[in-house]
Amino acid sequence: MIKIAVPNKGSLSEAAVEILSEAGYKGRGASKSLNTIDKANGIEFFFLRPKDIAIYVSSGVLDMGITGRDLAADSRAEVDEVLTLGFGGSTFRYASVAGQEWSVEKLAGKTIATSYPNLVRDDLARRGIAAKVIRLDGAVEISIRLGVADAIADVVSTGATLRHQGLEPFGEPIIGSEAVVIKRANVKPSPREEVILGRIRGILNARHYLMLDFNVAQEQLDEASAIAPGMSGPTVSPLARKGWVAVRAMVPRKQANQVMDELFALGAEAILASELRIARI
């Protein structure tokens, strides 16, 4: 039985459980149990603290896990990313009091508060900067006001929390993060694990594309196909209307409105965009 770790709480957990459910796997249910067995698919899911998942996976106790790239890096566990999931995006950055023209070089000899001490220590070591790093498990933004630290290093999504505390980020991001599927380092996914990854990719693909249907004059088909080429070329079918064809093509969701504008300007009719549930590409 394949053993997979899933975050037990927070935004990573909700999104991961939703994707797995759409991919046809058994959910956690209302019991909030630490594990659940999906007998039909031969998988046991373990619901664990996101910070611990990389450690379990790297030890070989669990086969794969879903966690944040920053969390995996901070654990220093030996794991490889086998699939990026496209949610939970954030950056990990240094920050301090706004308007004081901080730079990373000015951290030398200072005290930095963070919930990710290994990430910070590793980054400072790469830069050759000596500073004191203290670990706090939450609300690191307030540590500067309380006099515990000169600066912080924390996850930044919108920056609203920093601004509320009168802080601003400085320097380049230490790491860009998102949700990822990880596996023990240098161990390739098995054929059964590739099936799981394929299902997840199918859900992610469906979220990134729409199916576009439209009718267009045969003489304008080449131009229409250039606008909406699809993945391997559009599907074209003859219409009862002489000289016209029906066309179907997948288009990137973010480009759908622009593509529809161009097709309409070309003379295409009955242009419809439909949601996809699963898409193997």
Side-chain angles (χ1 to χ4, degrees), residues 20 43 81 111 128 147 201 212 215 274:
L20 290 171
I43 302 173
E81 295 181 14
T111 300
R201 289 190 190 97
L212 208 63
N215 299 335
S274 305

Side-chain angles (χ1 to χ4, degrees), residues 224-244:
S225 297
I227 296 170
M231 302 304 296
S232 304
T235 300
V236 181
S237 304
L239 286 175
R241 182 179 179 183
K242 186 176 180 180
W244 279 66

Side-chain angles (χ1 to χ4, degrees), residues 93-114:
R93 304 189 66 181
Y94 295 109
S96 193
V97 179
Q100 293 191 357
E101 298 183 357
W102 275 85
S103 67
V104 178
E105 290 70 27
K106 290 182 179 180
L107 291 171
K110 304 297 184 181
T111 300
I112 307 166
T114 183

